[in-house]
Amino acid sequence: MTQHRRSDDVRSNTGLVLSLDVFDTCISRSVLHPRHVFALHGRLSAVLDADRSRAWASVRQRSENVARDRRRDRQCTLFEIYVEVQRQLVLDASDRTRLMLEEMELERALCVAVEPVRLRACAHAEAGGVVVYSSDMYLPPSFLRDILHRNGFPPGKIFVSGYERASKETGDLFRDHCRRFGRWAVRHLGDNFRHDFLNAYRNHVRGEFDTTVSRARRQLPEPCRALARNPYPDDAGLAISLLLGNGLASRLAGASSADCYSAVRIAPVVVLWVLWLLSESSARGVKQILFAARDGQLPYKIARSLPRDRDSVALRYIHVSRRSLWTLLCDRLNPDQLQHLLRGLERDGAAARLATRLGIADSDVFMPLRRALDTEFAAVWPSDANRIAQLVAAFFESSPDARHELTRRREVFALYLAAQGVEGDASAIFADIGWLGNLRTQYGLATVRVPGEHPPELLGRYLGLKLANCGPLDDAFLFRNRDEPMCLRLDGCAPFFEQWLAADHGTALEYRRTRSGAAATLAIPAADYVRGIRQRHAIVVRSGKHLGAALRRGLKPTDESLRTWGQVLALDAFTRPTVDEARSLGSASIGGAMDAPDEAPLIVPLSVPRALLTAVSPRHAPSPTLWYYGSSALGAHGMLWPARLALTGQRIRGRIVRLVKRRLAGKGASHDSI
């Protein structure tokens, strides 16, 4: 049997040697479970056929176990694992090598630095200290060196159990560190409490238990923690694993808590919605998807990063707003639309504000209409929408110049759409976040130059929708019935969407001619606001790109499973009921904590978890970290019944750490604080 020579000794003359675990300490993978790498490899492999790709994760894990069992120290190399894979799948040597290289390339693509640990390692190296890396792993040291270098870690000797034939699990690797550097001369940082902390102290190495990755994982939505524990998910589960894993990687790479919340909670829902839009366009033979500004900017960026047949559907981002479209439609107002425009106006200056909303404030052509509005509001307040509609209709009927001005505006708008690549005679999907579908209706009317003319088929596809207020052409990804509790909750989340799903530009005000056709005049937002939005967009779009690469190479989740996942994630991401709200809504209250995503539990009705969560993961049972609310859970005082009945594992580990440190300090094991 081949004997592996141990690495050369490395000694430090300046202070303690800093030893770092590699995976889940220095480096995190952009998936929820390490074995999801195997499942994803099976889906994306160019070597495996369809049957073998589905079973690849279990074959790969079984081969690793067999390779470990053949070694007395249970430490194996990647090559030894793939020798067993070759035997089980009856492969030739070239296919074995290709599979092994595929796994290494996938690992390299999914690895991201844990920023706090990287900064600590760099600071230690800059101070003249020695940094080494100690890992119970089968990957080659040269491969780990490349990953660490790519992610900005300082150079250092790498001790890998599979090649050193000594591991942290048995303590042999720490004993070797003592022989190389001296007793208590090494401080080791790792994420495994037993291997990296207890075994280190047992072998005269200063162990330090790192919880950076585990703390980030606690930001996961509760239903997804079952997926994080499932090593063999289906394609939909792998898609969610990539989305959420990349969001956690953003937090570990130094993103703020708010940005991490965006990537973990918001990104998956928006990405899954975009996937649904693409599937809808394919199923209905639609040639273009129109993403409406400003809510549509982030979905548009994600759609461009996802795989699609470029000849089948065109993606367009158009600057439209209620204000810019009302400037084209002020001669076609009905009382309901006017009632919406009059909402929120105060008597002083009401005519001027309404004129600004209709785009008639700066043109002399509309001066008689402005004077009529002043007279109307001065005489009657609040004014009746029917009277205002009659007044506006009478003005346009008697003013050819006003009609000509609106015709000119619509022609400029048509030029703008042509400049954006919108085909006026082709069917389209109008994609927006909102709940009422008003913007799609306004857009359709604005594209009609002659009253009574029918526009091309324009389907409205939304993230959420109140179906009672919309027509048969509208549909939504998440919730389509105003009686559903989520629709009621989402209707009051305007500040939420303005913060998380906003664009990096201002709203569209009007349209003007240019040398190349026409363009939209936009309001100018504050510079700090733009920077913050662009930073959040970059994190979320990166999540889409990770999933897009996997989809392009063979990951094919079904629309039904993705829709189910989208609803589960939306329950957690888009609502935040308080205890009082939960009590007032009864069992209709479902939601997560938006204000304190790290700590506050979900509030879930007793009737929902089994039906909804079982559809997502059949192996998932309602977790004790949920809070259940319903009639059977109410006590005499109407209090919520907490299902969390014990201390969390983190608190227990913290107590054990403090106890071990006190005992070792009492034995004089350390001269400085541990």
Side-chain angles (χ1 to χ4, degrees):
M1 185 174 295
T2 304
Q3 296 295 324
H4 294 264
R5 183 172 59 85
R6 294 193 176 185
S7 304
D8 296 335
D9 288 351
V10 181
R11 298 186 180 277
S12 169
N13 296 322
T14 56
L16 293 175
V17 174
L18 179 61
S19 170
L20 299 172
D21 179 33
V22 177
F23 286 100
D24 285 340
T25 301
C26 294
I27 297 294
S28 176
R29 300 179 180 95
S30 296
V31 287
L32 297 183
H33 192 293
R35 292 181 190 174
H36 291 182
V37 177
F38 303 153
L40 189 60
H41 180 199
R43 305 301 198 278
L44 307 183
S45 175
V47 178
L48 303 172
D49 56 26
D51 293 335
R52 287 178 171 178
S53 68
R54 297 291 173 182
W56 170 249
S58 59
V59 170
R60 170 62 177 78
Q61 185 61 41
R62 186 166 60 249
S63 299
E64 180 180 340
N65 293 336
V66 172
R68 289 185 182 278
D69 291 339
R70 289 180 176 175
R71 298 289 307 179
R72 184 175 181 180
D73 54 10
R74 290 189 54 79
Q75 302 305 315
C76 62
T77 65
L78 186 64
F79 178 79
E80 292 168 349
I81 293 172
Y82 272 88
V83 168
E84 180 60 27
V85 169
Q86 181 183 10
R87 187 191 66 81
Q88 291 193 26
L89 297 183
V90 193
L91 302 173
D92 56 31
S94 62
D95 286 343
R96 179 196 66 198
T97 303
R98 289 172 61 194
L99 275 172
M100 186 166 61
L101 293 176
E102 282 180 349
E103 179 176 332
M104 295 172 69
E105 286 303 314
L106 184 58
E107 289 273 13
R108 183 181 283 111
L110 295 176
C111 285
V112 64
V114 179
E115 190 65 10
V117 179
R118 188 190 71 81
L119 294 176
R120 178 174 176 177
C122 291
H124 187 82
E126 291 172 359
V130 171
V131 178
V132 299
Y133 303 93
S134 310
S135 178
D136 282 357
M137 197 55 176
Y138 45 78
L139 292 169
S142 59
F143 177 74
L144 296 182
R145 184 177 295 108
D146 177 62
I147 288 179
L148 292 166
H149 174 72
R150 285 170 177 262
N151 286 279
F153 282 86
K157 199 71 177 179
I158 299 178
F159 302 97
V160 182
S161 62
Y163 295 82
E164 297 290 327
R165 300 305 186 190
S167 68
K168 297 179 295 182
E169 182 179 7
T170 61
D172 294 341
L173 193 57
F174 293 127
R175 286 192 285 273
D176 288 352
H177 285 348
C178 289
R179 286 193 289 270
R180 291 184 178 97
F181 309 114
R183 289 163 59 96
W184 305 112
V186 178
R187 183 183 297 278
H188 177 75
L189 178 68
D191 69 299
N192 189 299
F193 180 74
R194 185 167 69 87
H195 297 172
D196 294 307
F197 181 77
L198 293 180
N199 284 357
Y201 271 105
R202 288 168 181 164
N203 293 280
H204 311 292
V205 170
R206 304 168 190 263
E208 189 172 335
F209 181 48
D210 179 71
T211 60
T212 305
V213 175
S214 62
R215 285 199 309 270
R217 289 184 181 278
R218 285 200 296 274
Q219 286 199 343
L220 286 175
E222 177 59 33
C224 298
R225 298 184 189 179
L227 174 62
R229 296 187 292 268
N230 178 11
Y232 308 120
D234 58 9
D235 281 3
L238 287 177
I240 300 301
S241 179
L242 278 169
L243 288 169
L244 296 178
N246 190 65
L248 293 176
S250 299
R251 175 63 182 274
L252 299 172
S256 67
S257 179
D259 291 335
C260 180
Y261 184 77
S262 174
V264 174
R265 305 292 177 100
I266 308 305
V269 178
V270 180
V271 173
L272 297 180
W273 174 51
V274 172
L275 285 174
W276 178 70
L277 288 175
L278 294 174
S279 66
E280 281 282 287
S281 67
S282 176
R284 298 179 180 275
V286 175
K287 297 300 182 182
Q288 52 189 348
I289 300 178
L290 310 180
F291 292 91
R294 294 180 293 166
D295 294 342
Q297 187 184 45
L298 179 58
Y300 171 70
K301 291 180 178 179
I302 293 173
R304 294 182 62 185
S305 70
L306 292 173
R308 58 188 173 86
D309 186 353
R310 296 186 181 274
D311 296 332
S312 63
V313 60
L315 305 178
R316 301 289 183 259
Y317 182 65
I318 54 176
H319 290 281
V320 293
S321 67
R322 289 178 176 83
R323 175 170 175 175
S324 67
L325 293 178
W326 283 132
T327 64
L328 312 175
L329 300 171
C330 52
D331 62 333
R332 302 175 183 175
L333 295 173
N334 59 48
D336 291 337
Q337 293 166 337
L338 269 172
Q339 187 65 42
H340 176 77
L341 289 171
L342 293 172
R343 188 178 304 146
L345 294 181
E346 297 179 359
R347 185 166 189 170
D348 294 338
R353 292 188 179 91
L354 180 60
T356 300
R357 292 182 179 183
L358 295 177
I360 61 175
D362 300 326
S363 176
D364 293 337
V365 174
F366 300 106
M367 183 62 71
L369 178 58
R370 294 202 303 273
R371 291 172 180 169
L373 291 175
D374 285 331
T375 303
E376 172 67 22
F377 288 139
V380 180
W381 187 264
S383 183
D384 181 53
N386 291 298
R387 287 175 53 83
I388 299 295
Q390 293 173 4
L391 188 152
V392 171
F395 168 76
F396 281 102
E397 184 176 353
S398 62
S399 176
D401 292 339
R403 294 197 299 271
H404 177 74
E405 172 63 17
L406 288 183
T407 301
R408 185 196 64 80
R409 291 182 182 181
R410 292 176 191 135
E411 290 175 351
V412 174
F413 181 61
L415 288 175
Y416 166 74
L417 294 179
Q420 302 304 310
V422 178
E423 300 178 21
D425 57 347
S427 60
I429 284 179
F430 190 88
D432 195 12
I433 300 291
W435 316 116
L436 300 178
N438 290 337
L439 197 61
R440 181 196 68 81
T441 303
Q442 290 177 246
Y443 173 83
L445 292 174
T447 58
V448 177
R449 300 187 186 182
V450 180
E453 179 183 348
H454 293 286
E457 183 181 20
L458 185 65
L459 304 177
R461 293 295 179 266
Y462 307 90
L463 186 64
L465 182 68
K466 283 187 175 180
L467 191 62
N469 295 328
C470 302
L473 298 179
D474 296 316
D475 197 2
F477 174 61
L478 294 180
F479 307 99
R480 295 167 291 176
N481 188 331
R482 68 174 302 169
D483 294 329
E484 294 185 36
M486 279 299 298
C487 265
L488 300 178
R489 296 294 311 169
L490 292 170
D491 192 34
C493 288
F496 175 81
F497 292 110
E498 290 172 0
Q499 180 180 6
W500 294 104
L501 298 176
D504 60 3
H505 58 78
T507 187
L509 303 177
E510 60 182 4
Y511 304 96
R512 67 186 189 281
R513 288 183 182 271
T514 63
R515 292 182 179 180
S516 59
T521 300
L522 306 179
I524 301 176
D528 292 342
Y529 172 85
V530 171
R531 283 195 296 269
I533 291 298
R534 288 178 178 172
Q535 181 181 5
R536 289 185 183 132
H537 281 197
I539 293 174
V540 176
V541 171
R542 189 176 72 175
S543 299
K545 287 183 178 179
H546 268 67
L547 177 60
L551 293 171
R552 187 174 290 111
R553 296 179 58 186
L555 189 62
K556 298 178 180 178
T558 64
D559 292 343
E560 184 65 26
S561 59
L562 289 179
R563 192 163 191 165
T564 302
W565 269 109
Q567 292 189 5
V568 170
L569 294 172
L571 294 179
D572 181 72
F574 292 146
T575 60
R576 50 172 181 175
T578 64
V579 173
D580 290 337
E581 290 173 332
R583 186 177 296 111
S584 64
L585 292 174
S587 61
S589 175
I590 308 172
M594 191 175 75
D595 291 332
D598 289 330
E599 300 175 2
L602 294 176
I603 300 175
V604 182
L606 289 172
S607 59
V608 168
R610 289 176 177 82
L612 186 58
L613 301 183
T614 303
V616 177
S617 176
R619 299 176 58 186
H620 179 68
S623 168
T625 58
L626 292 173
W627 289 68
Y628 298 107
Y629 184 87
S631 57
S632 60
L634 287 175
H637 303 288
M639 301 295 292
L640 286 176
W641 170 65
R644 186 182 296 141
L645 301 177
L647 292 173
T648 64
Q650 183 63 35
R651 292 170 61 190
I652 295 174
R653 283 194 296 269
R655 292 184 179 183
I656 296 175
V657 169
R658 291 192 293 272
L659 177 62
V660 172
K661 285 184 176 180
R662 284 199 298 268
R663 293 202 175 181
L664 290 172
K667 293 180 180 180
S670 173
H671 296 290
D672 55 357
S673 60
I674 297 176

